[in-house]
Amino acid sequence: MQARTQSVWQRMLSVDRRWLYLILFVNIVIFLLAPLRMPASISPPVQKFYDEIEKLQPGDLVMISSNWSASTLAENQPQLEAVITHLMRKQARFTIISIEAQSRDISYRLAERVTKEKGYQYGEQWAHFGFVPNLVVAIKGMVTDLPNTIKQDVRGTEISKMPALRGVKSLSDYKVVIDVTPSGTVPAWISYSPKNLTILYCPTSVMAAEAYTYLDSGQIKGMITGAKGAQEYEQLLGIKGLGAPFANTISFSHLLIIAFILLGNFAMLMNRLQARREG
Amino acid sequence: MVVLTNLMAQQTIWRLPEESRVLFATLIVAGAFVLILGLIPVLQTLPPRGRRAIVVTVTFLAGLFFAAEFFLPVDWTAIFPKDDPKRNFLTPAIQPAQNVLQIIGALALGLGTFGLVRLHLRNAVQRRAQWGYSIVLLVSFVVMAAFSILNTLAEKKIVERGPVLERGFAILFDHTLIQLDAAMFSLVAFYIFSAAYRAFRIRSVEASILMFTAMLVMIGVVPLGAQISPALPTIANWVLAQLNAPAQRAIEFGVGIGGLAMAIRLWLSLERGVT
């Protein structure tokens, strides 16, 4: 018995997924390497984020909660680099804390590299508090007694003896907290941190939708969404970072996905029409 | 009782005396160790109902402590004139309790590590199926742990950072672990692409609305959207702020109420499998 040949539409609907993977891979490689730079339109949450950092005075303290690992490096690294660059430009003091074990090393090495390029002094202008296993407990502890909760930085220096943290007793002495994270950690900062603290948020794109309720209520003052948010921030700062090439690649990947969704639906429609015609 | 009242008034009951802190800390740790070692055989001789009663009581008291600290009024100066009016008598105990929680959190990491190593050691020793992978895991685990510990000690200036440590840690952490982790997660993009092509079908009015809204947001939030039309980013931001936010809020209210109910059930040990 002769096997019935598949129509073009049926073949399109049952295309081997490896072809799809290859198309996406080629698309990513081309637009990652292409020297194509598209200016971004600055979204309101990014503009608000920038404005909040601009309000800082030299010497103001900022807490960066860096809770990302290498899996979300493409989104969180450009965010953190841009944010640290802005803080250094404002001459703000900042400290980093991680509730993700891998992030402790990633954020420390990243901050060390970025600050070294700009001559920012460890211990004098910034410090890393290392890894804490429970964020809520750490925040509650820092609200009551920061030096006794953290005790030592990553280099083993006592917090109370660090010039960068001279006179700091609790989290109330900070002006801003910036949560760079792929996880749902920002509600912990909203719930437990002091009311005078401005909360800024750097989520991955997939987590950003949930944060619009907090932006709307004013509990989060600004947000940098994923790599495309980092690109907008780099544009505001006038620097060239990783955000722009990543955002361009994401742009064309989105376009490709949309094109293929339409193509899939068109193939389904044509296949149905053909089946109806053939009875 | 008078002594206890005085200690509570001075709020030193929860903190070790400064002058003999090491002695007190040693005594407390030794006492806790003896207590736990003594408790294990006692717990094992108890019937299941007795064990459950102990777990339920400890869970309830632990929950009660945090709830009481949060809800109790802060101004106790009428009873304890020396008291700080900004906090209640339980507030000074929060810090030590949180230290204990941090230690329990760290112990959980240790427990996980122990379980992982034990499982793969058994696989390797008994030559179970795919035992070679267990060897790879154990070797990677030991090498990575050794370099990470040495790196941490070097950061604290306890050991010297030699070229072997510098290069070894960079190869293992920066050039291997980070790259593998990032590569693993990036595979999601390929699955999403394939799934979107196969599953995102216009089969109803609702599906059509969802698809066209998703497309508008997808293209509106990226730089390409602004190049196509300046209206696209505005539309995408409007959808996110005006349509997405209320829907998210409704979901979060539901999740919050569910979380509260679950917390009360856990606190009162009503959840199945507590003991």
Side-chain angles (χ1 to χ4, degrees), chain A residues 138-172:
Chain A
I139 297 172
K140 288 175 84 174
M142 289 191 289
V143 168
T144 47
D145 188 351
L146 189 138
N148 266 322
T149 302
I150 303 299
K151 292 185 178 71
Q152 288 185 344
D153 73 337
V154 287
R155 296 186 181 181
T157 314
E158 272 186 52
I159 296 298
S160 53
K161 290 178 182 165
M162 294 187 82
L165 293 160
R166 197 173 289 127
V168 172
K169 290 190 174 70
S170 75
L171 211 51
S172 307

mmCIF file of all heavy atoms in Angstrom, chain A residues 138-172:
data_model
loop_
_atom_site.group_PDB
_atom_site.id
_atom_site.type_symbol
_atom_site.label_atom_id
_atom_site.label_comp_id
_atom_site.label_asym_id
_atom_site.label_seq_id
_atom_site.Cartn_x
_atom_site.Cartn_y
_atom_site.Cartn_z
ATOM 1 N N ALA A 138 18.186 37.565 57.615
ATOM 2 C CA ALA A 138 19.278 38.547 57.489
ATOM 3 C C ALA A 138 18.732 39.969 57.515
ATOM 4 O O ALA A 138 19.279 40.842 58.204
ATOM 5 C CB ALA A 138 20.052 38.301 56.206
ATOM 6 N N ILE A 139 17.636 40.213 56.787
ATOM 7 C CA ILE A 139 17.071 41.572 56.761
ATOM 8 C C ILE A 139 16.605 41.963 58.162
ATOM 9 O O ILE A 139 16.915 43.044 58.657
ATOM 10 C CB ILE A 139 15.887 41.673 55.766
ATOM 11 C CG1 ILE A 139 16.345 41.411 54.336
ATOM 12 C CG2 ILE A 139 15.235 43.058 55.844
ATOM 13 C CD1 ILE A 139 15.208 41.295 53.326
ATOM 14 N N LYS A 140 15.872 41.053 58.815
ATOM 15 C CA LYS A 140 15.364 41.367 60.164
ATOM 16 C C LYS A 140 16.520 41.628 61.133
ATOM 17 O O LYS A 140 16.442 42.499 61.985
ATOM 18 C CB LYS A 140 14.474 40.224 60.666
ATOM 19 C CG LYS A 140 13.134 40.180 59.919
ATOM 20 C CD LYS A 140 12.311 39.003 60.323
ATOM 21 C CE LYS A 140 11.520 39.271 61.586
ATOM 22 N NZ LYS A 140 10.599 38.171 61.910
ATOM 23 N N GLY A 141 17.589 40.852 60.970
ATOM 24 C CA GLY A 141 18.758 41.051 61.825
ATOM 25 C C GLY A 141 19.414 42.394 61.554
ATOM 26 O O GLY A 141 19.768 43.125 62.488
ATOM 27 N N MET A 142 19.548 42.751 60.262
ATOM 28 C CA MET A 142 20.202 44.016 59.905
ATOM 29 C C MET A 142 19.369 45.213 60.325
ATOM 30 O O MET A 142 19.906 46.285 60.580
ATOM 31 C CB MET A 142 20.472 44.060 58.395
ATOM 32 C CG MET A 142 21.566 43.113 57.950
ATOM 33 S SD MET A 142 22.088 43.384 56.253
ATOM 34 C CE MET A 142 20.686 42.808 55.335
ATOM 35 N N VAL A 143 18.057 45.032 60.389
ATOM 36 C CA VAL A 143 17.188 46.129 60.825
ATOM 37 C C VAL A 143 17.458 46.461 62.288
ATOM 38 O O VAL A 143 17.481 47.628 62.684
ATOM 39 C CB VAL A 143 15.694 45.760 60.608
ATOM 40 C CG1 VAL A 143 14.781 46.747 61.315
ATOM 41 C CG2 VAL A 143 15.373 45.730 59.127
ATOM 42 N N THR A 144 17.709 45.443 63.101
ATOM 43 C CA THR A 144 17.948 45.694 64.521
ATOM 44 C C THR A 144 19.430 45.967 64.827
ATOM 45 O O THR A 144 19.740 46.872 65.590
ATOM 46 C CB THR A 144 17.458 44.515 65.392
ATOM 47 O OG1 THR A 144 17.931 43.305 64.805
ATOM 48 C CG2 THR A 144 15.952 44.472 65.476
ATOM 49 N N ASP A 145 20.321 45.190 64.236
ATOM 50 C CA ASP A 145 21.749 45.336 64.553
ATOM 51 C C ASP A 145 22.590 44.804 63.397
ATOM 52 O O ASP A 145 22.857 43.597 63.327
ATOM 53 C CB ASP A 145 22.037 44.555 65.854
ATOM 54 C CG ASP A 145 23.439 44.811 66.374
ATOM 55 O OD1 ASP A 145 24.245 45.436 65.663
ATOM 56 O OD2 ASP A 145 23.720 44.392 67.517
ATOM 57 N N LEU A 146 22.982 45.686 62.511
ATOM 58 C CA LEU A 146 23.695 45.247 61.296
ATOM 59 C C LEU A 146 25.077 44.652 61.585
ATOM 60 O O LEU A 146 25.386 43.545 61.132
ATOM 61 C CB LEU A 146 23.782 46.386 60.284
ATOM 62 C CG LEU A 146 24.297 45.995 58.909
ATOM 63 C CD1 LEU A 146 23.484 46.668 57.814
ATOM 64 C CD2 LEU A 146 25.761 46.323 58.734
ATOM 65 N N PRO A 147 25.936 45.347 62.377
ATOM 66 C CA PRO A 147 27.281 44.766 62.594
ATOM 67 C C PRO A 147 27.248 43.394 63.255
ATOM 68 O O PRO A 147 28.057 42.538 62.932
ATOM 69 C CB PRO A 147 27.968 45.797 63.506
ATOM 70 C CG PRO A 147 27.228 47.058 63.276
ATOM 71 C CD PRO A 147 25.817 46.662 63.010
ATOM 72 N N ASN A 148 26.287 43.169 64.170
ATOM 73 C CA ASN A 148 26.227 41.871 64.839
ATOM 74 C C ASN A 148 25.594 40.793 63.977
ATOM 75 O O ASN A 148 25.788 39.602 64.225
ATOM 76 C CB ASN A 148 25.450 41.995 66.152
ATOM 77 C CG ASN A 148 26.390 42.231 67.317
ATOM 78 O OD1 ASN A 148 27.479 41.662 67.357
ATOM 79 N ND2 ASN A 148 26.003 43.097 68.216
ATOM 80 N N THR A 149 24.790 41.190 62.994
ATOM 81 C CA THR A 149 24.175 40.206 62.094
ATOM 82 C C THR A 149 25.189 39.743 61.050
ATOM 83 O O THR A 149 25.329 38.558 60.783
ATOM 84 C CB THR A 149 22.949 40.822 61.385
ATOM 85 O OG1 THR A 149 22.032 41.263 62.382
ATOM 86 C CG2 THR A 149 22.258 39.822 60.481
ATOM 87 N N ILE A 150 25.900 40.693 60.461
ATOM 88 C CA ILE A 150 26.843 40.350 59.387
ATOM 89 C C ILE A 150 28.203 39.947 59.957
ATOM 90 O O ILE A 150 28.861 39.053 59.432
ATOM 91 C CB ILE A 150 26.992 41.543 58.403
ATOM 92 C CG1 ILE A 150 25.620 41.931 57.833
ATOM 93 C CG2 ILE A 150 27.977 41.212 57.284
ATOM 94 C CD1 ILE A 150 24.916 40.859 57.042
ATOM 95 N N LYS A 151 28.607 40.619 61.002
ATOM 96 C CA LYS A 151 29.870 40.357 61.718
ATOM 97 C C LYS A 151 31.115 40.645 60.878
ATOM 98 O O LYS A 151 31.891 41.510 61.204
ATOM 99 C CB LYS A 151 29.912 38.942 62.292
ATOM 100 C CG LYS A 151 28.887 38.762 63.416
ATOM 101 C CD LYS A 151 28.998 37.408 64.057
ATOM 102 C CE LYS A 151 28.011 37.266 65.197
ATOM 103 N NZ LYS A 151 26.605 37.151 64.805
ATOM 104 N N GLN A 152 31.329 39.888 59.775
ATOM 105 C CA GLN A 152 32.555 40.048 58.969
ATOM 106 C C GLN A 152 32.207 40.173 57.492
ATOM 107 O O GLN A 152 31.203 39.628 57.042
ATOM 108 C CB GLN A 152 33.453 38.821 59.128
ATOM 109 C CG GLN A 152 34.123 38.703 60.470
ATOM 110 C CD GLN A 152 35.084 37.520 60.492
ATOM 111 O OE1 GLN A 152 35.035 36.637 59.647
ATOM 112 N NE2 GLN A 152 35.961 37.503 61.478
ATOM 113 N N ASP A 153 33.080 40.866 56.752
ATOM 114 C CA ASP A 153 32.896 40.902 55.297
ATOM 115 C C ASP A 153 33.600 39.697 54.678
ATOM 116 O O ASP A 153 34.112 38.828 55.401
ATOM 117 C CB ASP A 153 33.428 42.222 54.718
ATOM 118 C CG ASP A 153 34.950 42.260 54.722
ATOM 119 O OD1 ASP A 153 35.563 41.528 55.526
ATOM 120 O OD2 ASP A 153 35.523 43.016 53.923
ATOM 121 N N VAL A 154 33.630 39.624 53.337
ATOM 122 C CA VAL A 154 34.241 38.450 52.683
ATOM 123 C C VAL A 154 35.737 38.343 52.947
ATOM 124 O O VAL A 154 36.321 37.276 52.816
ATOM 125 C CB VAL A 154 34.008 38.455 51.149
ATOM 126 C CG1 VAL A 154 32.586 38.127 50.795
ATOM 127 C CG2 VAL A 154 34.428 39.763 50.527
ATOM 128 N N ARG A 155 36.359 39.465 53.306
ATOM 129 C CA ARG A 155 37.804 39.435 53.557
ATOM 130 C C ARG A 155 38.131 39.204 55.028
ATOM 131 O O ARG A 155 39.279 39.313 55.442
ATOM 132 C CB ARG A 155 38.440 40.739 53.076
ATOM 133 C CG ARG A 155 38.309 40.925 51.581
ATOM 134 C CD ARG A 155 39.049 42.130 51.093
ATOM 135 N NE ARG A 155 38.879 42.302 49.651
ATOM 136 C CZ ARG A 155 39.437 43.270 48.958
ATOM 137 N NH1 ARG A 155 40.198 44.164 49.550
ATOM 138 N NH2 ARG A 155 39.225 43.368 47.659
ATOM 139 N N GLY A 156 37.091 38.964 55.818
ATOM 140 C CA GLY A 156 37.295 38.670 57.228
ATOM 141 C C GLY A 156 37.456 39.892 58.115
ATOM 142 O O GLY A 156 37.827 39.767 59.287
ATOM 143 N N THR A 157 37.180 41.080 57.579
ATOM 144 C CA THR A 157 37.277 42.299 58.384
ATOM 145 C C THR A 157 35.977 42.497 59.165
ATOM 146 O O THR A 157 34.899 42.287 58.616
ATOM 147 C CB THR A 157 37.494 43.530 57.470
ATOM 148 O OG1 THR A 157 38.494 43.209 56.522
ATOM 149 C CG2 THR A 157 37.878 44.757 58.268
ATOM 150 N N GLU A 158 36.110 42.894 60.418
ATOM 151 C CA GLU A 158 34.910 43.150 61.215
ATOM 152 C C GLU A 158 34.158 44.347 60.638
ATOM 153 O O GLU A 158 34.768 45.374 60.329
ATOM 154 C CB GLU A 158 35.294 43.428 62.666
ATOM 155 C CG GLU A 158 35.378 42.160 63.485
ATOM 156 C CD GLU A 158 35.617 42.454 64.959
ATOM 157 O OE1 GLU A 158 34.858 43.260 65.513
ATOM 158 O OE2 GLU A 158 36.575 41.893 65.498
ATOM 159 N N ILE A 159 32.841 44.188 60.520
ATOM 160 C CA ILE A 159 32.006 45.230 59.905
ATOM 161 C C ILE A 159 32.148 46.559 60.647
ATOM 162 O O ILE A 159 32.246 47.623 60.040
ATOM 163 C CB ILE A 159 30.523 44.767 59.899
ATOM 164 C CG1 ILE A 159 30.348 43.536 59.020
ATOM 165 C CG2 ILE A 159 29.590 45.897 59.471
ATOM 166 C CD1 ILE A 159 30.673 43.708 57.568
ATOM 167 N N SER A 160 32.190 46.474 61.976
ATOM 168 C CA SER A 160 32.229 47.704 62.783
ATOM 169 C C SER A 160 33.555 48.464 62.598
ATOM 170 O O SER A 160 33.651 49.641 62.935
ATOM 171 C CB SER A 160 32.019 47.361 64.254
ATOM 172 O OG SER A 160 32.936 46.360 64.635
ATOM 173 N N LYS A 161 34.579 47.763 62.064
ATOM 174 C CA LYS A 161 35.881 48.415 61.907
ATOM 175 C C LYS A 161 36.150 48.890 60.469
ATOM 176 O O LYS A 161 37.242 49.364 60.164
ATOM 177 C CB LYS A 161 36.997 47.448 62.344
ATOM 178 C CG LYS A 161 37.001 47.218 63.849
ATOM 179 C CD LYS A 161 38.060 46.247 64.262
ATOM 180 C CE LYS A 161 37.978 46.015 65.772
ATOM 181 N NZ LYS A 161 38.729 44.828 66.170
ATOM 182 N N MET A 162 35.152 48.732 59.593
ATOM 183 C CA MET A 162 35.365 49.116 58.192
ATOM 184 C C MET A 162 35.079 50.605 58.006
ATOM 185 O O MET A 162 34.015 51.078 58.413
ATOM 186 C CB MET A 162 34.441 48.322 57.273
ATOM 187 C CG MET A 162 34.745 46.845 57.254
ATOM 188 S SD MET A 162 33.779 46.018 56.014
ATOM 189 C CE MET A 162 34.791 46.384 54.609
ATOM 190 N N PRO A 163 35.994 51.328 57.371
ATOM 191 C CA PRO A 163 35.751 52.758 57.137
ATOM 192 C C PRO A 163 34.474 53.014 56.329
ATOM 193 O O PRO A 163 33.771 53.993 56.566
ATOM 194 C CB PRO A 163 36.987 53.213 56.364
ATOM 195 C CG PRO A 163 38.036 52.206 56.671
ATOM 196 C CD PRO A 163 37.324 50.916 56.900
ATOM 197 N N ALA A 164 34.163 52.105 55.400
ATOM 198 C CA ALA A 164 32.966 52.287 54.562
ATOM 199 C C ALA A 164 31.687 52.239 55.380
ATOM 200 O O ALA A 164 30.653 52.762 54.970
ATOM 201 C CB ALA A 164 32.920 51.218 53.478
ATOM 202 N N LEU A 165 31.760 51.595 56.560
ATOM 203 C CA LEU A 165 30.551 51.414 57.364
ATOM 204 C C LEU A 165 30.670 52.078 58.737
ATOM 205 O O LEU A 165 30.020 51.643 59.688
ATOM 206 C CB LEU A 165 30.264 49.919 57.509
ATOM 207 C CG LEU A 165 29.888 49.235 56.202
ATOM 208 C CD1 LEU A 165 30.087 47.745 56.279
ATOM 209 C CD2 LEU A 165 28.451 49.546 55.848
ATOM 210 N N ARG A 166 31.519 53.087 58.797
ATOM 211 C CA ARG A 166 31.714 53.766 60.078
ATOM 212 C C ARG A 166 30.389 54.392 60.542
ATOM 213 O O ARG A 166 29.723 55.102 59.792
ATOM 214 C CB ARG A 166 32.788 54.849 59.936
ATOM 215 C CG ARG A 166 33.343 55.304 61.262
ATOM 216 C CD ARG A 166 34.523 56.239 61.093
ATOM 217 N NE ARG A 166 35.706 55.544 60.608
ATOM 218 C CZ ARG A 166 36.402 55.922 59.542
ATOM 219 N NH1 ARG A 166 36.042 56.963 58.841
ATOM 220 N NH2 ARG A 166 37.477 55.244 59.164
ATOM 221 N N GLY A 167 30.011 54.080 61.764
ATOM 222 C CA GLY A 167 28.792 54.666 62.340
ATOM 223 C C GLY A 167 27.505 53.975 61.925
ATOM 224 O O GLY A 167 26.427 54.369 62.360
ATOM 225 N N VAL A 168 27.627 52.929 61.120
ATOM 226 C CA VAL A 168 26.409 52.241 60.663
ATOM 227 C C VAL A 168 25.954 51.257 61.742
ATOM 228 O O VAL A 168 26.711 50.381 62.148
ATOM 229 C CB VAL A 168 26.665 51.495 59.329
ATOM 230 C CG1 VAL A 168 25.467 50.632 58.952
ATOM 231 C CG2 VAL A 168 26.962 52.498 58.239
ATOM 232 N N LYS A 169 24.724 51.441 62.191
ATOM 233 C CA LYS A 169 24.203 50.561 63.242
ATOM 234 C C LYS A 169 23.152 49.601 62.700
ATOM 235 O O LYS A 169 23.031 48.471 63.156
ATOM 236 C CB LYS A 169 23.594 51.412 64.361
ATOM 237 C CG LYS A 169 24.631 52.182 65.173
ATOM 238 C CD LYS A 169 23.983 52.791 66.402
ATOM 239 C CE LYS A 169 25.022 53.436 67.310
ATOM 240 N NZ LYS A 169 25.595 54.661 66.739
ATOM 241 N N SER A 170 22.377 50.089 61.763
ATOM 242 C CA SER A 170 21.317 49.230 61.228
ATOM 243 C C SER A 170 21.026 49.602 59.783
ATOM 244 O O SER A 170 21.614 50.538 59.238
ATOM 245 C CB SER A 170 20.042 49.376 62.059
ATOM 246 O OG SER A 170 19.420 50.604 61.756
ATOM 247 N N LEU A 171 20.088 48.888 59.212
ATOM 248 C CA LEU A 171 19.693 49.118 57.815
ATOM 249 C C LEU A 171 19.071 50.511 57.638
ATOM 250 O O LEU A 171 19.038 51.033 56.521
ATOM 251 C CB LEU A 171 18.693 48.026 57.400
ATOM 252 C CG LEU A 171 18.663 47.565 55.954
ATOM 253 C CD1 LEU A 171 20.028 47.198 55.415
ATOM 254 C CD2 LEU A 171 17.715 46.383 55.807
ATOM 255 N N SER A 172 18.604 51.107 58.718
ATOM 256 C CA SER A 172 18.005 52.456 58.645
ATOM 257 C C SER A 172 19.041 53.496 58.217
ATOM 258 O O SER A 172 18.668 54.583 57.769
ATOM 259 C CB SER A 172 17.435 52.858 59.998
ATOM 260 O OG SER A 172 16.568 51.883 60.452
#
